[in-house]
């Protein structure tokens, strides 16, 4: 029953996203990619995945599993499989996300994103700080240049402005 409810909820969300995307006014004149393009792309993708989920959920013979299979059980910090989430990690991830939201504008996009990546990697068990910083920095700078410089979507520059 849960799978059916969730899949129908995602289908409803897809309908809302598509309706809102079509409500976005198109600019005057010729535009290769208008303001509707990305919301429509997200809405169509969500709709396709939702329809697949609905079909799977309502397929005859589909039933809810009785218990969590051992392979899908969460693993706590000590490496022991359990059915319960590791709440300290969950709380640290939520705290990291809250700190990211608070630091995004004052610190800047690429700086806050790098710090967020490192924090999440540490919470999830990574102990290679230099690698985490380099990967986080590379991903943050790549997305910064994609959105800020190539697409013209302004992101917070923060404390250290990039000269490029």
């Amino acid at each position: 029953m849960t799978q059916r409810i969730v899949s129908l909820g995602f289908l409803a969300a897809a309908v809302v996203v598509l309706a809102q995307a079509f409500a976005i006014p198109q600019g005057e004149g010729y535009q290769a990619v208008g303001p509707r393009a990305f919301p429509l792309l997200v809405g169509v993708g969500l709709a396709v995945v939702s329809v697949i989920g609905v079909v799977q959920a309502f397929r005859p013979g589909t039933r809810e599993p009785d218990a969590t299979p051992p392979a899908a059980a969460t693993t706590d910090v000590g490496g022991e499989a359990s059915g319960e989430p590791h709440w300290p990690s969950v709380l640290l991830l939520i705290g990291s996300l809250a700190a990211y939201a608070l630091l995004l504008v004052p610190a800047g996009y690429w700086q806050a994103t790098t710090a967020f990546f490192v924090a999440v990697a540490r919470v999830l068990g990574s102990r290679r700080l230099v690698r985490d910083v380099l990967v986080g920095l590379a991903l943050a700078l790549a997305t910064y240049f994609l959105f800020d410089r190539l697409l013209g979507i302004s992101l917070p520059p923060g404390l250290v402005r990039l000269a490029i």
Side-chain angles (χ1 to χ4, degrees):
M1 188 64 166
T2 304
Q3 185 179 2
R4 291 179 178 177
I5 293 170
V6 169
S7 61
L8 288 173
F10 275 108
L11 186 59
V15 169
V16 170
V17 169
L18 288 170
Q20 292 297 315
F22 280 113
I24 296 172
Q26 286 291 90
E28 294 186 23
Y30 174 75
Q31 293 177 336
V33 177
R36 290 184 187 169
F38 289 110
L40 282 175
L41 182 66
V42 169
V44 168
L46 183 58
V48 168
V49 171
S50 303
V51 167
I52 292 169
V54 168
V55 168
Q56 288 179 350
F58 286 94
R59 187 173 356 136
T62 303
R63 64 178 189 85
E64 290 283 326
D66 294 332
T68 304
T74 58
T75 304
D76 65 14
V77 175
E80 296 293 323
S82 68
E84 292 294 316
H86 186 254
W87 288 111
S89 296
V90 172
L91 294 175
L92 284 170
L93 289 172
I94 291 170
S96 298
L97 185 60
Y100 178 65
L102 291 172
L103 292 175
L104 185 61
V105 173
Y109 173 80
W110 66 270
Q111 299 96 321
T113 302
T114 302
F116 178 65
F117 183 90
V118 171
V120 169
R122 300 289 288 188
V123 169
L124 295 178
S126 175
R127 296 296 169 242
R128 299 181 64 186
L129 182 63
V130 174
R131 181 199 60 188
D132 295 340
V133 169
L134 292 175
V135 170
L137 183 62
L139 291 172
L141 288 175
T143 55
Y144 179 81
F145 283 115
L146 174 69
F147 283 92
D148 195 72
R149 304 300 164 93
L150 295 177
L151 295 175
I153 299 171
S154 181
L155 295 174
L159 303 172
V160 179
R161 297 181 188 275
L162 297 174
I164 301 174

